[in-house]
Amino acid sequence: MVRVGPLRFEHPPHLPSVQQAPILEWYDPELRRVDDTHRLEAPIDDRGVVDIFKTVELALSLVDDDYIWPRSEPEPDIHHFVWERDWYHPRHFNGSSVPRDYRDSISFHKGYLPRQLHDFLHAVIAPPPIPDFSIMEARVRDYEIASALFESARGAVTARKKPGKIAGVPVSPETGRVLLDDEILQQIMLNFEGYFENSKAEVVHGNEFIDHDLVDRSPEVVARHLGRIAGQKALNLMPLVYGNRRRARAAA
């Protein structure tokens, strides 16, 4: 049961029941979360960077293994594991957008989750502390380099295999044939290869999102590898949520 002054009710309608998630015994409807003495800390690494996988696993551990998180109503959405949003606003950092980019741009700080689990995370886990500015700056820089390398690799692959998909390249509406001389088409491919080589030159040892050996690989390999890192806005955490439940039931 949830305490509301002298009144009590079963559970907030957007969360599991107290019987399924006992920590909600301490849910405060005015705060829309459990009280501070019972709210848990978000898992972070030794730099202060949030670990989204451990955060989800922590939240799941607080709920009965047999509980089924709704998949469709309310619909799943993206949870920012770096919150509160206002903490990272440029006005708090002399106008620098680095903290905001740290929160919003890096796919490894966001995850696609059932909406109810999203709400539950906010209710029972406290926001991770803000890392040192230098940590955020380095992580944003590494991710931007990875994103640029991914885009240039994908562009080089497109120029080689599907040049008609490149913006500005004329294509016959009847046949789909590229309406450019071979010499011009070859120059376009060379230009995209050049962008790819320039992007590789930006990668230095220690980039946490890029295995340095990757820079010696073909655009196809680079695009395929980095597509899982920089080619998505957020990580799909649905398999973690529902896979854990399947494994728990199989082991019982």
Side-chain angles (χ1 to χ4, degrees):
M1 303 286 281
V2 177
R3 294 179 172 81
V4 190
L7 303 177
R8 298 159 72 86
F9 58 92
E10 277 300 318
H11 65 95
H14 62 295
L15 297 173
S17 71
V18 176
Q19 289 72 30
Q20 294 158 328
I23 192 172
L24 293 178
E25 169 88 18
W26 310 103
Y27 185 85
D28 184 328
E30 293 185 1
L31 296 175
R32 300 191 67 183
R33 59 175 174 77
V34 300
D35 62 50
D36 287 339
T37 59
H38 292 86
R39 198 159 57 149
L40 305 178
E41 295 182 358
I44 57 176
D45 66 16
D46 57 3
R47 300 168 299 170
V49 174
V50 67
D51 186 318
I52 73 173
F53 300 103
K54 289 182 178 179
T55 301
V56 173
E57 289 168 352
L58 174 60
L60 294 176
S61 74
L62 300 171
V63 182
D64 189 282
D65 285 340
D66 288 329
Y67 182 72
I68 301 175
W69 298 94
R71 285 178 180 263
S72 57
E73 191 174 337
E75 292 188 1
D77 61 4
I78 292 175
H79 169 53
H80 286 73
F81 287 79
V82 175
W83 83 98
E84 301 282 340
R85 175 195 290 181
D86 184 68
W87 292 2
Y88 298 85
H89 194 282
R91 70 173 176 275
H92 301 306
F93 300 91
N94 296 319
S96 173
S97 64
V98 164
R100 183 173 59 192
D101 292 342
Y102 173 83
R103 176 185 186 271
D104 294 337
S105 299
I106 298 174
S107 63
F108 288 90
H109 294 168
K110 297 174 289 182
Y112 192 64
L113 289 172
R115 178 66 217 189
Q116 194 188 44
L117 178 53
H118 184 163
D119 291 337
F120 184 71
L121 279 164
H122 280 295
V124 301
I125 299 178
I130 302 173
D132 289 343
F133 185 88
S134 61
I135 297 297
M136 294 190 287
E137 187 174 41
R139 194 161 165 86
V140 168
R141 181 182 63 247
D142 283 356
Y143 192 79
E144 288 177 344
I145 290 172
S147 296
L149 181 57
F150 167 67
E151 292 295 342
S152 67
R154 184 167 63 172
V157 172
T158 301
R160 285 182 184 178
K161 298 184 175 180
K162 297 180 179 179
K165 298 291 186 180
I166 298 173
V169 172
V171 177
S172 168
E174 290 82 18
T175 66
R177 181 175 175 273
V178 174
L179 302 176
L180 287 176
D181 293 338
D182 289 344
E183 192 173 314
I184 297 176
L185 195 56
Q186 182 66 26
Q187 186 58 53
I188 290 174
M189 287 190 280
L190 289 174
N191 288 343
F192 275 92
E193 288 285 353
Y195 300 149
F196 177 57
E197 293 299 322
N198 289 339
S199 294
K200 289 198 295 184
E202 294 295 320
V203 180
V204 297
H205 282 287
N207 186 306
E208 66 175 300
F209 299 107
I210 304 173
D211 183 340
H212 197 74
D213 293 339
L214 192 66
V215 299
D216 297 323
R217 308 298 294 275
S218 68
E220 288 83 359
V221 172
V222 172
R224 184 168 60 252
H225 178 80
L226 291 183
R228 299 190 294 267
I229 296 172
Q232 53 188 340
K233 293 182 178 180
L235 302 190
N236 179 14
L237 297 172
M238 302 290 272
L240 175 62
V241 175
Y242 295 105
N244 269 5
R245 179 176 176 273
R246 285 195 296 271
R247 285 194 294 273
R249 295 191 68 180

